[in-house]
Amino acid sequence: MATRDTFEGATLRGTFSIVRTFGTSAVGRTIYLPGEQLRLTAQSLPYTSAYNGLSIGDNSNLYGDVRFPKLPIGTWRHAQGEWTTGKDSLWIQKIVPSDEELFRLYGHINLQGGALCGLISEYKGKAIAPTVIYAGMTTQVNAYGDYALRIPLGTTLAPQMTVVCEGIRVDVPVPVDRLQNPTEHVEVSVTLSNRPPVVSAISATANGQAVGSAVVDDAGATSNNVPRSDQFLTYKGIDTGDSACAYYLAIGATPSCGVRGELPPNALKFDEWKRMRKLAPYDGTSPELRATYVNRVDLNLVRDMHAVKNNSRDFAFYVCNYPKPRSTSENDVLAAIAGARAGKNLVACVAMDYSATEGTNFDPTIGSYRSFTKFYVFGPGGNLITSVNLDGRGEKYVPGSCVVCHGGSGYTGKFPRTTFPITADSNGPSASIEARFLPFDLGNYNFSPTAGLRKADQQLALKQMNYLVRDIEADFSGSNVAGTAIMSLIDGWYADSPNRFVNSNLDESYIPSGWRPTGALAAASADSATAPNFYRQVIARSCRTCHVALPNRDWDTTRPPVGGAHVCGGTEELSLNAKMANSKVTFDQFWLTAQQVPSFRALLGTHLGCGPAGIGVFAPFQDPAFPSN
């Protein structure tokens, strides 16, 4: 059994659910509980039986979670039953405490205007949350601004509670008469008098001269309604400096890690990686492909992409990212791409290779170590770095900021630094996180009008890059037939001209057979006649880039759920509401289109069940009880 088939991840989430008036609406709400002891016990692990009986766990974080990355496959027991790991599953189990009836005091804490008090930043190493103090007991407010406090029977009740957040301390009345009823759950929500600062501009000067400025979000952007730093590029997990360095250690990019995940001076350099992978200026025998464009739909950065195939199990790609154009006008796109080709204002270069690493990912079916996908981020000076800010919402660590789109069925929560479990063929956590290379979707790009950089001029290079991605998929899946969503998509794009060496245009109007008028997915839709338009206008533009790399969640072969929390929101599960699209640029473009284009809005209503939210506009409904959030 190959390592790639024996490890999975899990998340336990401590919760207290209420279905009664909360805030402004009579709605259900799940409160995620920090500080709960949540555990898994190995019951039956067929490939790692030595761990049977071992119990692992921790106190839940401010999200109510304890995350268990890299678990051996088998059966595990938790407080409310059993779970059997399965490849490609993303498992979250809500754990309701056995004494949930004691959570008799609950509520929501926020600042003026709806913003939440406190700070959660893995990059800054801070998790500052408000606390609620009542009758000598203290509880933390969770990452969503909610709290629930156990009040055991016989507790001497007090007429007020205290809310503390950083420098704020407020005493708040509590209705003791209601708490005296042992079966009643009492809401006490508080809006503190402070409000967060409004940043309208940031600038930098040197010797009295302006040398740069920060990009400030458009005042009308829908993402302003979800201001959390961890809203985007975090769906599969949030890494730390610790876990990012542990990942680099596992893939051989650094010989050691500091106490807080600091990289040593002799960590891998960009130039060294290019030499190892035979990219310019260290050219091998295979031609290096290059294309430059603006990926306007997902990150809206100028991307200078390079790729090479050294053999059937050795591929390397890297993309150097540059600031976005000022607008989508032809002149601004031309200027931004010209600056990128000249190497001006480099943000970071992200490299990926698909290659074998001695000691990791042994596959007995082929008698050797199997290639797998690895991520690296290099700063403008060529040094390896553990984090990158790609959307203005702060630094995000690898590999979590990568697998959110590139997939990673061997990754949950974060990359484990040490110990459990030690894999059978390595001396630490397995470096293979089952990530994938993404195909190049030209319909979502902008190109320069300059000769040599126009879309028509780069069709062949991007077609050949797409076929390299298909080659990787074929090796990863063990089959050269169209067995994965990525392979099928590339085959569909070039159905009229499958020869990778013959120039042809990618078919931007391609629709998978299931979404065509007589297809099974269209037939299962509320309106089969508009299903092709739903695929072309919604899925292809806003979902496909990432979902095509997510097994069981690729919307080319599976219908997205109707009325699901992830897009529309409006449910009691705040951890899921309005999490998609998980790219800030895509999120804003998606909802701007929904607000401005009636036909697009109608497609969302028909095929996703989205409707006008309680905040007066057609927008994602993240918090039904407190819409101002």
Side-chain angles (χ1 to χ4, degrees):
M1 178 67 67
T3 300
R4 62 189 295 173
D5 294 326
T6 60
F7 293 94
E8 196 51 79
T11 296
L12 294 185
R13 178 169 293 158
T15 65
F16 165 62
S17 296
I18 55 173
V19 184
R20 55 180 59 84
T21 300
F22 194 104
T24 60
S25 305
V27 296
R29 191 174 188 88
T30 297
I31 298 177
Y32 308 112
L33 301 173
E36 296 291 299
Q37 179 66 214
L38 304 176
R39 304 192 69 81
L40 282 175
T41 300
Q43 293 292 103
S44 177
L45 310 181
Y47 306 110
T48 48
S49 58
Y51 291 119
N52 288 341
L54 182 65
S55 178
I56 56 175
D58 204 347
N59 291 330
S60 55
N61 60 21
L62 292 176
Y63 300 93
D65 292 347
V66 174
R67 293 179 172 182
F68 301 90
K70 298 289 185 184
L71 292 172
I73 223 166
T75 301
W76 295 80
R77 175 163 289 280
H78 51 81
Q80 291 176 241
E82 291 184 346
W83 168 61
T84 300
T85 59
K87 184 172 162 55
D88 296 334
S89 67
L90 179 62
W91 180 73
I92 297 176
Q93 173 66 47
K94 296 198 320 186
I95 304 294
V96 179
S98 59
D99 60 349
E100 66 169 323
E101 71 279 358
L102 296 182
F103 287 98
R104 296 194 290 128
L105 184 62
Y106 69 92
H108 184 80
I109 311 297
N110 58 262
L111 301 173
Q112 293 289 324
L116 301 182
C117 191
L119 170 70
I120 303 175
S121 171
E122 294 292 359
Y123 182 71
K124 296 177 180 177
K126 294 184 180 295
I128 302 170
T131 55
V132 172
I133 306 168
Y134 179 71
M137 298 171 289
T138 301
T139 191
Q140 282 187 304
V141 177
N142 69 20
Y144 303 93
D146 298 336
Y147 74 92
L149 182 66
R150 286 180 174 90
I151 302 181
L153 298 180
T155 298
T156 301
L157 303 177
Q160 65 183 22
M161 71 180 196
T162 302
V163 178
V164 180
C165 183
E166 299 187 68
I168 307 171
R169 188 180 183 94
V170 178
D171 292 328
V172 182
V174 173
V176 174
D177 56 331
R178 294 177 59 197
L179 277 180
Q180 287 174 340
N181 180 351
T183 64
E184 185 167 2
H185 299 266
V186 178
E187 179 196 352
V188 178
S189 295
V190 181
T191 296
L192 301 172
S193 59
N194 294 44
R195 65 173 63 245
V198 176
V199 179
S200 58
I202 302 174
S203 61
T205 60
N207 300 320
Q209 300 294 317
V211 294
S213 61
V215 176
V216 178
D217 285 344
D218 179 4
T222 303
S223 58
N224 291 338
N225 297 329
V226 283
R228 302 159 54 92
S229 63
D230 57 6
Q231 170 73 18
F232 301 108
L233 304 181
T234 58
Y235 185 72
K236 283 186 67 67
I238 302 175
D239 277 284
T240 63
D242 248 11
S243 62
C245 190
Y247 173 71
Y248 282 152
L249 185 67
I251 65 173
T254 181
S256 63
C257 292
V259 175
R260 298 181 183 85
E262 302 92 344
L263 294 170
N266 59 339
L268 184 69
K269 302 293 189 292
F270 190 25
D271 192 66
E272 181 183 358
W273 178 84
K274 287 193 282 189
R275 179 183 56 78
M276 293 166 56
R277 304 268 68 91
K278 299 178 183 178
L279 287 149
Y282 309 101
D283 297 337
T285 57
S286 301
E288 181 173 330
L289 302 170
R290 184 181 187 185
T292 310
Y293 51 88
V294 179
N295 64 339
R296 74 174 189 278
V297 171
D298 45 33
L299 293 173
N300 199 24
L301 296 169
V302 180
R303 315 205 88 184
D304 190 8
M305 181 71 66
H306 299 248
V308 68
K309 175 181 180 178
N310 293 310
N311 61 55
S312 63
R313 289 181 175 166
D314 188 330
F315 300 77
F317 287 64
Y318 75 86
V319 59
C320 289
N321 297 285
Y322 296 85
K324 67 180 182 180
R326 292 180 179 274
S327 74
T328 57
S329 72
E330 186 175 88
N331 285 339
D332 283 344
V333 171
L334 183 153
I337 290 179
R341 295 286 288 205
K344 295 180 179 179
N345 302 316
L346 173 62
V347 175
C349 294
V350 178
M352 297 173 62
D353 63 59
Y354 180 79
S355 61
T357 297
E358 188 73 18
T360 297
N361 211 29
F362 182 77
D363 186 346
T365 63
I366 61 175
S368 63
Y369 295 100
R370 182 175 284 279
S371 295
F372 63 96
T373 298
K374 312 173 192 71
F375 299 99
Y376 315 78
V377 181
F378 298 98
N383 291 323
L384 189 69
I385 55 178
T386 52
S387 68
V388 64
N389 184 349
L390 293 173
D391 63 0
R393 284 290 177 94
E395 298 284 327
K396 305 288 194 309
Y397 287 103
V398 298
S401 57
C402 307
V403 298
V404 67
C405 192
H406 286 268
S409 55
Y411 173 99
T412 296
K414 67 177 182 178
F415 191 83
R417 172 142 192 179
T418 54
T419 61
F420 190 81
I422 302 299
T423 65
D425 61 357
S426 70
N427 59 3
S430 172
S432 176
I433 53 178
E434 309 278 322
R436 288 172 142 93
F437 283 69
L438 299 176
F440 297 88
D441 195 341
L442 278 67
N444 291 340
Y445 301 163
N446 283 337
F447 293 86
S448 171
T450 302
L453 297 175
R454 296 168 299 196
K455 179 189 284 191
D457 301 329
Q458 300 189 85
Q459 284 276 4
L460 180 58
L462 286 161
K463 178 180 182 179
Q464 292 177 340
M465 287 185 187
N466 272 324
Y467 273 97
L468 295 191
V469 172
R470 194 191 187 286
D471 291 341
I472 294 170
E473 277 290 295
D475 185 70
F476 179 81
S477 65
S479 173
N480 193 43
V481 299
T484 71
I486 290 175
M487 294 164 70
S488 296
L489 178 60
I490 293 170
D491 289 346
W493 279 341
Y494 299 106
D496 292 338
S497 180
N499 187 331
R500 71 179 68 194
F501 301 109
V502 175
N503 193 14
S504 63
N505 292 342
L506 178 147
D507 181 4
E508 297 177 21
S509 65
Y510 166 74
I511 298 176
S513 58
W515 286 103
R516 295 169 192 167
T518 58
L521 299 178
S525 301
D527 181 8
S528 60
T530 60
N533 285 339
F534 172 69
Y535 177 85
R536 186 184 293 113
Q537 295 179 34
V538 180
I539 293 176
R541 297 286 77 84
S542 302
C543 313
R544 185 172 66 190
T545 294
C546 297
H547 277 272
V548 75
L550 305 178
N552 305 320
R553 293 174 180 83
D554 76 90
W555 307 139
D556 278 26
T557 60
T558 308
R559 275 193 55 79
V562 176
H566 292 80
V567 177
C568 312
T571 76
E572 68 177 47
E573 295 291 348
L574 302 193
S575 65
L576 302 180
N577 284 347
K579 292 293 285 188
M580 295 292 154
N582 207 233
S583 158
K584 179 177 175 294
V585 169
T586 313
F587 185 90
D588 281 334
Q589 292 181 2
F590 180 93
W591 288 107
L592 180 64
T593 305
Q595 291 158 22
Q596 294 182 345
V597 182
S599 60
F600 186 87
R601 192 158 61 242
L603 290 172
L604 300 187
T606 300
H607 295 278
L608 291 179
C610 297
I615 54 179
V617 295
F618 198 92
F621 204 6
Q622 188 185 46
D623 190 335
F626 294 90
S628 62
N629 290 351

